[in-house]
Amino acid sequence: MSIFKDLSKNKDQLEQGTILAPRFDANGLVSAVAIDVETHHVLTLAHMNEEALALTIETGKVHYYSRSRQKLWMKGETSGQVQYVEEIYVDCDQDAILLKVKATGPSCHNGYKSCFYRKVEGLKAPARKASLKIVDQVLIDPDTLYKS
Amino acid sequence: MSIFKDLSKNKDQLEQGTILAPRFDANGLVSAVAIDVETHHVLTLAHMNEEALALTIETGKVHYYSRSRQKLWMKGETSGQVQYVEEIYVDCDQDAILLKVKATGPSCHNGYKSCFYRKVEGLKAPARKASLKIVDQVLIDPDTLYKS
């Protein structure tokens, strides 16, 4: 049985109401973006299944669902870099989640504060010519983050 | 033919390199979050297919792919509320996009500045008891936004 209500057939309630009724997609997932509650720095953009969202609400620690590993994971379970939830928001049609978190160290497995450490260069030009530039610095060496 | 390279088999290049090689999912989509370039207010979290990303890069106006309507759309094509791209970032494994945009009016079709106008109440308690609270004010009445 689902934890959350299904309001997908009731647009008014879904978009204007006060019932939390996340609309999981065909794979059972919603998108979730985590930002630093103080700086508003965008840290991670990942996915949650029902269990991940429920655990995030209940424990105050962000849980995601890994599409590549096909499993639930608590952010920081291996690296120790937990994201502590301060506030959660849903979007208009309840298929996306915004997490405002405290995260002292790197949120990226590559050791950067944010997963978005590369900027696209070459806007307003043919997309095939665009390139990336690393615009951030590693906080902790990934070998240190994931050493056992 | 694809506009972008496929580096999904080359983790080092994918995550550390300077080649833009977005990893579209089985449905041909990546997640994309748009924030206000100045305030860092999170505005929208949606999806892009290859064409939407290419057009966003090339035109400087944010394009998404609507999963519900199954079509490409330029943000603001009906409402006039265009998101103008200032900066684009990709995440570590290139399956998510961060857009820093200028958007003067509401980004949400319900007339709010941001789609995330409802906050989840009831953290650190059973998820089935969580509720939503509207925490923002409508900037423009949706009936005005979408009148022809």
Side-chain angles (χ1 to χ4, degrees):
Chain A
M1 205 186 83
S2 177
I3 297 165
F4 302 106
K5 289 211 171 60
D6 176 6
L7 293 179
S8 55
K9 300 283 191 294
N10 187 334
K11 190 168 183 282
D12 250 31
Q13 270 290 318
L14 180 73
E15 301 202 352
Q16 309 287 352
T18 60
I19 296 169
L20 176 60
R23 286 199 310 123
F24 298 98
D25 68 12
N27 298 311
L29 303 176
V30 289
S31 307
V33 60
I35 71 172
D36 186 293
V37 65
E38 278 159 27
T39 64
H40 284 199
H41 200 126
V42 177
L43 303 174
T44 47
L45 204 178
H47 298 84
M48 287 179 165
N49 63 1
E50 183 175 71
E51 189 182 4
L53 177 58
L55 284 170
T56 299
I57 291 171
E58 292 174 1
T59 66
K61 296 176 184 175
V62 178
H63 291 65
Y64 295 110
Y65 181 86
S66 167
R67 295 186 299 178
S68 52
R69 289 180 286 142
Q70 297 192 306
K71 67 186 281 267
L72 181 83
W73 57 295
M74 189 191 87
K75 178 89 189 79
E77 65 188 9
T78 313
S79 66
Q81 302 299 325
V82 175
Q83 292 179 337
Y84 295 96
V85 176
E86 294 281 313
E87 298 170 9
I88 303 178
Y89 298 79
V90 294
D91 80 342
C92 40
D93 57 358
Q94 301 208 36
D95 68 353
I97 306 288
L98 167 61
L99 306 153
K100 297 192 180 177
V101 306
K102 282 195 177 170
T104 48
S107 276
C108 181
H109 73 290
N110 286 327
Y112 295 94
K113 177 79 182 165
S114 160
C115 293
F116 296 93
Y117 52 84
R118 285 177 298 179
K119 189 173 175 178
V120 177
E121 307 262 285
L123 304 186
K124 302 265 183 99
R128 63 188 160 72
K129 293 189 176 177
S131 62
L132 302 178
K133 183 183 176 185
I134 293 180
V135 291
D136 204 357
Q137 292 189 319
V138 168
L139 290 183
I140 302 179
D141 188 296
D143 290 343
T144 309
L145 264 182
Y146 292 95
K147 77 179 176 192
S148 54
Chain B
M1 205 184 83
S2 178
I3 298 164
F4 302 106
K5 289 211 171 59
D6 177 4
L7 292 179
S8 55
K9 300 284 193 292
N10 186 335
K11 190 167 182 285
D12 249 32
Q13 270 290 318
L14 180 73
E15 300 202 353
Q16 309 288 352
T18 58
I19 296 169
L20 176 60
R23 286 197 310 122
F24 299 97
D25 69 11
N27 297 312
L29 303 176
V30 289
S31 307
V33 61
I35 71 171
D36 185 293
V37 66
E38 277 159 26
T39 64
H40 284 199
H41 200 124
V42 176
L43 302 174
T44 48
L45 204 177
H47 298 83
M48 286 179 166
N49 63 359
E50 182 174 72
E51 189 182 4
L53 178 57
L55 283 171
T56 299
I57 291 170
E58 292 173 1
T59 66
K61 295 176 185 176
V62 177
H63 291 65
Y64 295 109
Y65 181 84
S66 167
R67 295 186 299 177
S68 53
R69 288 179 286 143
Q70 299 193 303
K71 66 186 282 268
L72 180 83
W73 56 296
M74 189 190 88
K75 179 89 188 78
E77 64 187 10
T78 312
S79 65
Q81 301 300 324
V82 175
Q83 292 178 335
Y84 295 95
V85 176
E86 293 281 314
E87 298 171 9
I88 303 177
Y89 298 78
V90 294
D91 80 341
C92 39
D93 57 358
Q94 300 207 38
D95 67 353
I97 306 288
L98 167 60
L99 307 153
K100 297 191 181 178
V101 306
K102 282 196 178 170
T104 47
S107 275
C108 181
H109 72 291
N110 285 327
Y112 295 93
K113 177 77 183 167
S114 159
C115 292
F116 296 94
Y117 52 84
R118 285 178 298 179
K119 188 174 175 179
V120 177
E121 305 264 285
L123 304 186
K124 303 263 185 98
R128 64 187 160 74
K129 293 189 177 179
S131 62
L132 302 178
K133 183 183 175 183
I134 294 180
V135 292
D136 204 356
Q137 293 190 319
V138 169
L139 290 184
I140 301 178
D141 188 295
D143 290 342
T144 310
L145 264 182
Y146 292 96
K147 76 177 176 194
S148 54

